[in-house]
Amino acid sequence: GWVPPALEDCIMSEAHVGTFSGRGDGATGHPASYRDLVDRHVAHLLESGINVLQLMPLQEFPGELSWGYNPAFLFAPESAYGTPDDFKYLVNQCHRAGIAVWLDVVLNHFDGPNLAGNLGDFNGEEIYFYPEGNGYRDTGYGPRPDYGRVEVRDMLVDSMRFFMEEYHIDGFRLDHTNLIKVNGEGWQLLREIAQMRDRVNPRVVLSIEQWPNEEAILRPVKWGGAGMDSQWSDIFHDNCRAALNQLAFGDPSMQSIADALNHFDYSARQMINFIESHDESRESPQFAYEGRIVQVADQNTPHSSYGLGRGKLFWGLTMFGAAVPQTLYGQEIAIRIS
């Protein structure tokens, strides 16, 4: 009887299973577990108005501590967080609370150093990847799957179908689709994902990280597109973070904020507004605009009245703009003024 919220009604929180629980909530293990997350925090998610929990990648990766963007086994939930039944428990408990569960998936590369005994030499050679010397092989993060082989595309599509059927996942966020649609073969993979979704469960949402945003990737397959449903809004993210940074030194461009909110040719349900994601969860010495929003607002004293007030202002733009809002877990606490 479970019916997930319609895309236009979603209020999302991106979260990392291993660090969602820990300091201060009674969880003692590190990384935290699937059960820690749902047993200790589902009430807080509800109190915050969240109805979609978007989990950072949890397909098996090497070691125990990772963001998950270095997958090795696409059909296995990360064992450091618990058993497959523990993950099913997380999904079931979220559904009972009215919260959909989305999964971030990485199909543009695999963890290169840890593929021996797995897909790296599955048949004595790397049949699952573009070969050495091929211009499509290197992504800068690990080898790219060979999208030109129908067997490889089937394996990638089936990994998502498996999580839909076995774990009742309600939506996916596809990581860095610019690294997938490098050729017609990558475009074909995206179309086959959309077609599989339509056959298996049309309610499942397909969201993408596409920089820069692109209309064709959202167009239905029958009209020549890739059939995706929504994409992270780069103009909202970039313009708002730039304005937030400028507040510390002078007047930000109100036109750039208006541009960020308008989305031009995209409908509201096609865009996901966010000002924080995992990429901004720590400060980077390379980019002044990185860091959580209170850090950008006041780089010296993030929890000053300036940091908190400006952080709350841009949280409000995220939540109430004409798009699907997404926050990063903890963002609602960082801007709370007691």
Side-chain angles (χ1 to χ4, degrees):
W2 161 249
V3 178
L7 177 56
E8 56 267 28
D9 296 326
C10 290
I11 302 174
M12 303 166 58
S13 176
E14 184 189 24
H16 178 256
V17 173
T19 54
F20 196 108
S21 283
R23 193 176 301 167
D25 70 358
T28 56
H30 183 70
S33 70
Y34 300 120
R35 288 179 178 265
D36 286 332
L37 188 161
V38 71
D39 286 344
R40 301 175 189 278
H41 293 283
V42 70
H44 172 72
L45 290 171
L46 289 172
E47 181 186 4
S48 302
I50 299 299
N51 61 6
V52 176
L53 178 64
Q54 180 180 285
L55 298 174
M56 290 169 63
L58 51 78
Q59 289 152 308
E60 188 79 42
F61 49 75
E64 294 190 344
L65 302 178
S66 174
W67 274 1
Y69 294 96
N70 55 333
F73 296 92
L74 290 187
F75 290 83
E78 174 53 46
S79 56
Y81 303 150
T83 67
D85 282 342
D86 290 333
F87 183 46
K88 290 179 180 180
Y89 173 82
L90 179 154
V91 176
N92 285 338
Q93 292 300 102
C94 282
H95 285 176
R96 286 173 179 151
I99 298 172
V101 179
W102 292 15
L103 182 60
D104 196 341
V105 291
V106 182
L107 303 182
N108 54 62
H109 73 276
F110 279 74
D111 183 86
N114 290 279
L115 294 176
N118 179 16
L119 297 182
D121 52 8
F122 184 81
N123 194 34
E125 56 181 306
E126 291 191 337
I127 61 173
Y128 278 89
F129 301 93
Y130 286 109
E132 293 281 1
N134 184 293
Y136 293 124
R137 177 183 174 85
D138 183 41
T139 65
Y141 303 100
R144 180 183 280 111
D146 186 348
Y147 304 136
R149 291 177 181 254
V150 66
E151 300 89 348
V152 174
R153 294 200 308 272
D154 284 349
M155 184 267 292
L156 299 174
V157 173
D158 283 348
S159 70
M160 295 178 64
R161 180 176 59 83
F162 176 71
F163 275 88
M164 290 167 58
E165 294 181 337
E166 185 70 13
Y167 295 96
H168 301 169
I169 292 299
D170 302 296
F172 295 92
R173 180 259 196 192
L174 275 69
D175 178 64
H176 214 333
T177 49
N178 256 350
L179 293 181
I180 296 177
K181 58 182 190 60
V182 291
N183 54 23
E185 299 161 356
W187 274 97
Q188 183 61 24
L189 170 66
L190 295 175
R191 294 188 186 103
E192 290 174 3
I193 289 170
Q195 290 166 333
M196 176 277 294
R197 182 275 310 271
D198 292 345
R199 291 192 309 270
V200 175
N201 186 352
R203 290 176 175 171
V204 168
V205 177
L206 297 175
S207 175
I208 57 172
E209 178 192 29
Q210 170 61 39
W211 311 124
N213 292 150
E214 187 172 311
E215 185 274 334
I217 205 168
L218 300 178
R219 198 180 303 147
V221 173
K222 64 182 179 181
W223 295 342
M228 302 293 109
D229 297 311
S230 63
Q231 58 188 328
W232 284 18
S233 174
D234 62 343
I235 188 172
F236 181 88
H237 171 270
D238 293 350
N239 287 19
C240 285
R241 289 188 77 87
L244 184 58
N245 186 267
Q246 292 162 7
L247 273 169
F249 305 100
D251 294 330
S253 166
M254 297 305 294
Q255 183 61 52
S256 71
I257 294 177
D259 291 344
L261 292 169
N262 283 333
H263 297 304
F264 299 104
D265 296 328
Y266 299 103
S267 70
R269 73 189 306 274
Q270 290 181 314
M271 303 304 288
I272 295 177
N273 278 357
F274 71 103
I275 197 169
E276 285 190 7
S277 73
H278 59 275
D279 285 326
E280 292 83 29
S281 66
R282 63 173 185 263
E283 289 185 272
S284 168
Q286 295 176 293
F287 303 105
Y289 62 81
E290 289 195 358
R292 307 205 73 160
I293 55 174
V294 292
Q295 294 172 297
V296 178
D298 191 333
Q299 297 174 21
N300 295 317
T301 313
H303 290 96
S304 68
S305 59
Y306 293 106
L308 291 170
R310 292 168 181 170
K312 179 171 282 191
L313 169 63
F314 281 88
W315 177 86
L317 291 177
T318 303
M319 293 299 293
F320 299 109
V324 177
Q326 175 179 287
T327 63
L328 178 67
Y329 68 128
Q331 183 177 345
E332 72 283 358
I333 296 173
I335 61 163
R336 183 171 294 164
I337 302 175
S338 58

